[in-house]
Amino acid sequence: MIRSIVRNGLLAAVCTVVLFSSSSSEALDSSPAAAKVVVTPLASVTTTASGQPIVLPQKNVQVLVSSFEIPPGATLPVHKHPSARYAYVLEGQLQVTNVDTGKGTSYKAGDFIVEMIGEWHQGANVGAEPVKLLVIDQVEEGTSNTVLKE
């Protein structure tokens, strides 16, 4: 029952974002003028950071939401994700590098990241302040979405 409610809630949230993704900013008109809700789309993508199509788990999807705080100068271990991972940069500057191609991308506060799937990569805080991320994983229930390179 709870799983169904979570899935339906997630589906409703995604539909709401899609409804308002056609313009840069819209106000919902059901409130008085001084109390309007403003929806500002942050991303609308169909591919990962490395250009792969986004594919979701086919059964028993579990949504995991985490916050990350990466101190200045810290580098994450080389890793990959078997399923979709999304991150919103709240603070700081993050450099993500695909270790196979050497291609790196910098992200700053306000950026939305659709991480690469199944490709070895590494993140590093390249700024003077902590990197704070809101991370959302969609995995097959009971599985992890991070595989460390040995």
Side-chain angles (χ1 to χ4, degrees):
M1 170 90 174
I2 292 176
R3 184 179 298 136
S4 176
I5 291 169
V6 169
R7 281 189 187 143
N8 290 341
L10 178 62
L11 180 59
V14 168
C15 289
T16 301
V17 170
V18 169
L19 277 173
F20 293 104
S21 66
S22 61
S23 69
S24 62
S25 182
E26 292 192 33
L28 300 177
D29 293 326
S30 62
S31 302
K36 289 190 181 208
V37 175
V38 176
V39 177
T40 304
L42 301 175
S44 176
V45 298
T46 58
T47 60
T48 67
S50 64
Q52 305 160 299
I54 297 170
V55 179
L56 302 178
Q58 297 302 303
K59 61 181 182 175
N60 300 325
V61 176
Q62 181 177 12
V63 175
L64 305 171
V65 181
S66 308
S67 64
F68 281 57
E69 185 167 330
I70 305 165
T75 300
L76 300 173
V78 175
H79 64 282
K80 65 181 176 179
H81 307 290
S83 297
R85 171 172 274 189
Y86 313 103
Y88 183 74
V89 183
L90 299 166
E91 295 179 21
Q93 186 176 355
L94 180 70
Q95 175 79 23
V96 177
T97 304
N98 181 318
V99 298
D100 294 324
T101 66
K103 181 182 179 202
T105 305
S106 289
Y107 299 97
K108 63 185 181 331
D111 287 343
F112 185 76
I113 306 167
V114 180
E115 291 204 38
M116 54 195 87
I117 298 171
E119 295 182 1
W120 296 110
H121 61 281
Q122 185 172 41
N125 181 341
V126 294
E129 65 180 326
V131 169
K132 293 184 181 179
L133 304 171
L134 173 66
V135 176
I136 302 169
D137 290 300
Q138 290 181 293
V139 299
E140 186 172 323
E141 186 175 17
T143 64
S144 173
N145 200 20
T146 301
V147 176
L148 298 179
K149 191 168 189 174
E150 295 179 9

